[in-house]
Amino acid sequence: MKAEAKITIVDFPEVVNIDEIRDEAPEVKTFYLSFLDPRLEAGFRIRSGQFIMCTVFGAGEFAVSLPPSPERDRLHITVRAVGKVTHALHRLRPGDKLGVRGPFGNGFPFEEIKGKNVIYVAGGIGLIPLRSSIIHVLQHREAFGRIILLYGARTSRDLLYREDIREWQKTPGFETFVAIDRAESGWDGEVGYVNTLIGKANVPVENTAAFVCGPPVMFNGVIAELLKRGMSEDDIVSTLERNMKCGYGKCQHCAIGRTLVCTDGPVYTYRQIKTLGEGI
Amino acid sequence: MSVFAVSKEVLMTVIQELGKTHELHGPRVDRASGQVFFERAGAAEDIALEAELPSMPPKELFFPQVDRLLKYRYDSAARSVELTRLGQERPKALIGLRPCDLAAIQCLDRFFLGQEYVDEVYRTHRRKSFIVTYTCNEPARQCFCVCFHTGPAAEEGFDLNVTRLASGYLLEAGSEQGRALAVGLGLRPATEEQRMEKERVVERSIALFPEKATGNKAWASRVMNRVTTGFVKPEVWEEIGKKCFECGGCSYVCPTCSCFNVEDACGAEGECERLRTWDSCSLESYTRMAGDHNPRKLVEDRRNKRFFCKLSYSQSKKYLRPGCVGCGRCVWVCPGDIGLPSVVEQVKS
């Protein structure tokens, strides 16, 4: 079979239609997108862990990670309304158009973690960039050891991808622990910060890779706990977020020391992140 | 290399000839302020070849301070959008470029055209340009190109290089298009004596550099070593950070600084333009994200980043040379006296 040429939309956005919008959580929506150009709709391929630059016409552009599984899903993005551009995005309706550039970035290291246990630790919207990786690992179940998800959010309403989570909880051999910060009536899951789940899940540290993503406070707590249990800094993987303007290595906003998050990252091991010295 | 000897009049003819096919840009003295700017010249005689180093670098010609990338109008009734790429090729001749500024353009070329992705915006500006450099007969007060091996004479990367001799000018062709122009105009080849005279001009120019510049020559590479390996104590960066006014001036006058911001500017009628504008890593907003999370908030961390960019070997890889070319403009502009030579001094001690 002839290898398909990789498409990267570098500096001139291509237009996509918003086919559908789903409310994920307060202030968080998922937008399903399709390219107007049929060649792009057929040929645009992403790797798990990459990101795109998304234009909200009239407001500007922002970098956003990609939750869809490259093998299975329609193109979509999940975005919390935080700044000027993302608020403008949230005001759009199905049928509105967006601009897309990319995909950019390195993606998750699946080859390197073959044969290992895989732990996902996500806090809040930190589940967004990890989603495609979870699906990939579940689809290649036989290539990995234990697979564990530890997911925490502030309240039950803040949990993303509830449909996926229900499916994952029923998937044999996938150990899922979902927690909210404080007890709520009607909630029969775990309660507490996500780092407390590490003990409850009795996570392995030998021959194990951990994918960690979430707000800085949660990230630092989880890393400390994993390291305390003896996990190697090389086996902890995360994806960095930076102010990005171009996505292809020229604007330099995402430069940390000698690395550019857009072209060298956004996926790094914790050892690399620590060496860069700037944190997440 | 083909080398020619020309009179002032013939040199003007060469520039006029270039002006037939290219926009002419060169150093011009502003009558009111006496400052020198590298800008559009209507005619060859408007260019002040021997004026001091222009206060702003010529990077503006290939990396405009405000660059219009594309325009669009979002029709919210039809919910459709048309995007149009802006920017067009304009052949430009840069006349009287100083060697440090040429070295900086080579840095920008390697960075914008030679990495994983080619920057088409830069390439459009850069294509079809013609570069005429000018050997510095004497350094200005702030010059330290000798520390970074970029001057006082350009060695490569120009189409033509001009050196003022006691009588007339030496014209060296550094490219095929430079040679073709000279040959086409029937210029007279230089004599051996005239070529030798250029060597003496360069030697004399080097001898005129202050002790501080020539004495720091070895220090530049030693400081690069320290910056690369993280040998510099945090207190040094803190001290440098304290002196920073966070004005961004150093980035704007630096001929190799090329960080940019991108924003969509929209008019009342819904017409929008995507603009690429100069940015500076010294500004607090540079790394600030939506929601106000800023991983590099402290001024000393931001200063550290700038000098790592200019002075580390790992950053040099993208330019194939250090990110500083020794033009000294940051010394001129910095109100806090943390131009690059002062930073070298502080890291050194």
Side-chain angles (χ1 to χ4, degrees), chain A residues 149-161:
Chain A
L149 168 67
L150 313 177
Y151 179 39
R154 267 186 310 170
T155 72
S156 61
R157 288 178 357 119
D158 293 305
L159 293 166
L160 308 184
Y161 306 134

Side-chain angles (χ1 to χ4, degrees), chain A:
Chain A
M1 204 173 76
K2 210 177 117 191
E4 277 179 80
K6 199 184 82 175
I7 295 176
T8 306
I9 307 162
V10 180
D11 63 350
F12 190 78
E14 291 288 344
V15 180
V16 293
N17 183 61
I18 302 177
D19 298 331
E20 188 189 339
I21 302 175
R22 287 188 199 167
D23 288 320
E24 288 291 341
E27 304 284 287
V28 185
K29 290 182 184 181
T30 295
F31 300 80
Y32 289 85
L33 312 171
S34 57
F35 284 96
L36 299 194
D37 181 342
R39 278 170 308 171
L40 283 167
E41 184 56 21
F44 187 80
R45 296 271 180 280
I46 59 167
R47 281 201 308 276
S48 179
Q50 289 189 302
F51 69 94
I52 55 171
M53 298 296 294
C54 179
T55 298
V56 180
F57 294 111
E61 205 175 29
F62 66 104
V64 61
S65 58
L66 291 166
S69 155
E71 295 114 334
R72 203 186 75 177
D73 296 332
R74 290 187 282 161
L75 182 64
H76 63 269
I77 54 175
T78 302
V79 182
R80 177 192 275 170
V82 178
K84 185 185 100 180
V85 181
T86 48
H87 272 109
L89 174 70
H90 273 234
R91 286 193 290 270
L92 298 182
R93 290 168 298 130
D96 274 319
K97 306 294 179 288
L98 296 173
V100 165
R101 297 190 294 114
F104 300 116
N106 56 356
F108 288 115
F110 292 125
E111 278 307 307
E112 291 86 330
I113 63 164
K114 267 194 180 154
K116 293 187 176 185
N117 305 309
V118 187
I119 310 170
Y120 291 97
V121 193
I125 56 170
L127 187 60
I128 298 170
L130 296 182
R131 182 182 178 272
S132 66
S133 166
I134 296 172
I135 295 168
H136 176 92
V137 166
L138 290 176
Q139 279 180 336
H140 302 84
R141 180 72 195 80
E142 67 293 343
F144 303 95
R146 285 176 69 188
I147 307 178
I148 305 168
L149 168 67
L150 313 177
Y151 179 39
R154 267 186 310 170
T155 72
S156 61
R157 288 178 357 119
D158 293 305
L159 293 166
L160 308 184
Y161 306 134
R162 274 171 257 182
E163 213 174 287
D164 289 322
I165 290 172
R166 275 194 293 275
E167 187 192 317
W168 292 341
Q169 285 171 329
K170 283 183 260 167
T171 305
F174 187 23
E175 305 167 49
T176 55
F177 295 80
V178 180
I180 55 175
D181 287 358
R182 269 181 285 288
E184 287 174 21
S185 62
W187 176 258
D188 56 2
E190 306 286 342
V191 173
Y193 293 131
V194 70
N195 50 326
T196 62
L197 297 178
I198 294 171
K200 280 189 189 134
N202 189 26
V203 299
V205 291
E206 292 296 323
N207 194 33
T208 300
F211 292 76
V212 184
C213 208
V217 175
M218 167 260 163
F219 180 85
N220 293 330
V222 167
I223 297 295
E225 183 63 30
L226 290 175
L227 293 177
K228 199 174 81 187
R229 287 167 178 263
M231 186 165 253
S232 158
E233 290 174 350
D234 294 313
D235 291 329
I236 303 173
V237 174
S238 189
T239 164
L240 292 185
E241 199 178 27
R242 282 295 180 278
N243 183 10
M244 288 182 188
K245 296 296 177 184
C246 74
Y248 58 98
K250 304 301 182 192
C251 81
Q252 300 277 314
H253 280 74
C254 67
I256 316 172
R258 67 198 65 193
T259 192
L260 284 170
V261 177
C262 64
T263 50
D264 303 328
V267 177
Y268 293 92
T269 66
Y270 180 64
R271 187 182 299 282
Q272 289 170 324
I273 293 172
K274 211 178 85 172
T275 312
L276 295 172
E278 202 171 86
I280 65 161

Side-chain angles (χ1 to χ4, degrees), chain B residues 12-74:
Chain B
M12 285 296 128
T13 313
V14 174
I15 299 172
Q16 278 155 8
E17 189 63 22
L18 273 171
K20 289 178 186 167
T21 48
H22 295 71
E23 287 177 5
L24 294 178
H25 296 263
R28 302 184 64 196
V29 183
D30 179 63
R31 284 211 193 116
S33 65
Q35 273 193 298
V36 183
F37 295 98
F38 201 94
E39 58 186 16
R40 182 83 187 263
E45 51 280 12
D46 294 344
I47 295 170
L49 272 183
E50 277 143 48
E52 65 178 16
L53 189 74
S55 49
M56 291 297 283
K59 70 177 176 185
E60 164 81 24
L61 290 171
F62 304 136
F63 174 57
Q65 185 163 7
V66 177
D67 202 2
R68 298 159 68 227
L69 304 185
L70 56 94
K71 66 173 182 183
Y72 62 80
R73 187 196 167 87
Y74 190 70

